[in-house]
Amino acid sequence: MGDNPQKETNTEVDGQDTIARYTAKDSVFCDLFRDKKYLLQLYQALHPEDTETTEKDLTDITIRNVLTDGIYNDVGFRNKDKVIILTEAQSTWSMNILIRMLLYLAETYHNYFRMKDADLYSSTKVSLPEAELYIVFVGKRANQPEYITLSEEFFQGKKCSVEIKAKVLYGGEGKDIISQYVEFSKVYTEQVKRHGYTREAVLETIRICKDKDVLAEYLKSKEGEAISIMMALFDEEYIQRAYWKRVVNETTEAVTEAVTKEVTKAVTEAVTKEVTKEVTDAMTKEAAEKEKRSARKLYQKGVSIGDIAEASEVPVETVKQWLEL
């Protein structure tokens, strides 16, 4: 969801190497709307006609998966039991967002029915909150549409059993919270181009936005937190990479150990078999030579071939071969 990194530059913060998050804009977006005050402003920007809704009417239903790799979205909230609103910040254009929003919506409804203890197998029709889907786009608008739909983008406009329709929000010249966030994102993108993914880019973004009165209240009240949010010491991406690296390493070690053990066993068995064969052959050969020498001595002493064969428990012809007769 964030921009792809173009440059990485390390700086020192409290003695630790740190770089600006590649997902800094998304991180601010999520943190901003966890605050009910700004969440209400978001709702009011989407529904300016509603002047009665208050902060207490809004419930955060954002899907978060901290410890697993399940789906999660940027911001989701419910206005009482009437409307579900899912918003997703995007800086690069991709129609795949429609598929992700379909999954977000299904998971959100699932959580809602579970919270309500709704019996979906009952003959009584359950109450289904209306869903409103929005995408906040912070990249260049160009000729991008106001609405995008699953059927149009993936099924050539054909009517199908599954449909998703999302309104794309690009911000504007006004001072509503959405326009401010879009402007903040553009400032940050520009500063990253100038300074790379560094602390300087973050600090300059905050300074410029405060001067331009863009999310100024939020940035002033939580400047220290905003910097931490945008910087990456041991951020989620690092933790996830480290986790999977550890899993891969542990798996590799386990496989290597198992393979080594199996190979060692196979090699040992093969070597043991070969050595055993060689030893056995050598012993057999030595025994045969001993028999030959004994046969020759007996023959020289006048013992008959028949008696030698009987004593050695071998055929007469074998004794003759020993004596080379």
Side-chain angles (χ1 to χ4, degrees):
M1 287 182 286
D3 292 332
N4 291 328
Q6 299 173 348
K7 176 181 179 183
E8 293 186 12
T9 306
N10 286 347
T11 60
E12 282 290 317
V13 179
D14 297 331
Q16 301 182 58
D17 287 339
T18 179
I19 60 172
R21 288 177 183 266
Y22 302 145
T23 58
K25 290 177 288 189
D26 295 331
S27 300
V28 169
F29 184 85
C30 296
D31 183 74
L32 177 67
F33 295 119
R34 283 197 186 104
D35 189 320
K36 279 288 188 74
K37 176 170 63 176
Y38 300 114
L39 187 63
L40 178 60
Q41 291 181 32
L42 173 60
Y43 175 77
Q44 291 171 336
L46 299 173
H47 286 280
E49 79 287 351
D50 184 350
T51 59
E52 297 182 357
T53 293
T54 63
E55 291 180 19
K56 67 179 181 180
D57 295 323
L58 304 179
T59 303
D60 183 358
I61 56 172
T62 303
I63 303 168
R64 298 184 177 93
N65 278 293
V66 178
L67 300 178
T68 68
D69 60 352
I71 64 171
Y72 62 92
N73 64 328
D74 289 338
V75 176
F77 64 97
R78 189 176 69 248
N79 178 13
K80 299 179 182 177
D81 286 333
K82 297 179 181 179
V83 180
I84 295 176
I85 298 174
L86 304 173
T87 57
E88 180 86 359
Q90 289 284 290
S91 56
T92 54
W93 189 263
S94 172
M95 286 302 176
N96 293 333
I97 181 60
L98 288 167
I99 298 176
R100 296 205 303 274
M101 296 196 84
L102 173 63
L103 299 177
Y104 300 155
L105 182 59
E107 181 70 10
T108 300
Y109 274 143
H110 177 262
N111 293 339
Y112 175 80
F113 291 132
R114 186 168 54 187
M115 179 192 69
K116 292 291 185 179
D117 289 326
D119 184 0
L120 299 182
Y121 297 94
S122 169
S123 59
T124 303
K125 184 168 65 175
V126 299
S127 174
L128 181 67
E130 178 185 355
E132 295 182 5
L133 307 180
Y134 297 93
I135 300 168
V136 179
F137 186 69
V138 299
K140 293 182 179 180
R141 178 168 184 176
N143 296 317
Q144 307 297 2
E146 181 179 4
Y147 288 93
I148 55 176
T149 64
L150 192 70
S151 59
E152 187 68 32
E153 298 302 329
F154 290 90
F155 304 110
Q156 295 76 49
K158 297 177 182 177
K159 290 185 178 180
C160 56
S161 299
V162 179
E163 180 63 294
I164 286 290
K165 181 179 181 180
K167 183 175 182 178
V168 186
L169 307 173
Y170 301 94
E173 299 300 325
K175 284 295 183 180
D176 64 86
I177 196 71
I178 296 173
S179 297
Q180 289 188 58
Y181 172 74
V182 172
E183 179 63 21
F184 163 84
S185 298
K186 291 179 178 178
V187 171
Y188 177 70
T189 298
E190 182 61 32
Q191 293 309 306
V192 167
K193 288 180 181 178
R194 292 184 180 182
H195 306 290
Y197 286 87
T198 64
R199 182 180 177 84
E200 186 176 2
V202 171
L203 295 177
E204 276 299 287
T205 297
I206 293 174
R207 182 189 64 77
I208 293 170
C209 286
K210 287 197 298 184
D211 290 345
K212 296 175 68 173
D213 195 25
V214 173
L215 298 183
E217 182 182 15
Y218 167 77
L219 295 174
K220 288 177 182 176
S221 65
K222 332 176 47 170
E223 182 165 342
E225 293 176 61
I227 294 173
S228 297
I229 290 165
M230 295 174 71
M231 299 304 293
L233 292 174
F234 293 101
D235 60 13
E236 291 90 341
E237 294 82 7
Y238 175 88
I239 293 170
Q240 289 178 0
R241 289 196 301 271
Y243 170 74
W244 285 113
K245 183 178 180 181
R246 186 173 72 253
V247 169
V248 170
N249 288 341
E250 290 177 353
T251 302
T252 302
E253 289 175 3
V255 170
T256 301
E257 183 180 352
V259 171
T260 301
K261 185 177 181 181
E262 193 63 28
V263 170
T264 302
K265 180 182 178 183
V267 170
T268 301
E269 289 179 351
V271 170
T272 301
K273 184 177 181 180
E274 187 64 26
V275 170
T276 301
K277 181 177 183 299
E278 290 180 2
V279 171
T280 302
D281 290 347
M283 291 176 67
T284 302
K285 185 176 180 181
E286 179 62 25
E289 289 297 325
K290 187 176 181 180
E291 287 284 349
K292 290 180 182 179
R293 289 195 297 271
S294 297
R296 287 171 185 154
K297 288 180 180 179
L298 292 173
Y299 185 69
Q300 290 172 357
K301 291 180 179 181
V303 179
S304 68
I305 294 176
D307 289 340
I308 294 173
E310 185 177 353
S312 301
E313 297 181 347
V314 295
V316 171
E317 290 302 321
T318 300
V319 175
K320 287 182 179 181
Q321 290 176 2
W322 289 350
L323 300 176
E324 298 180 354
L325 296 178

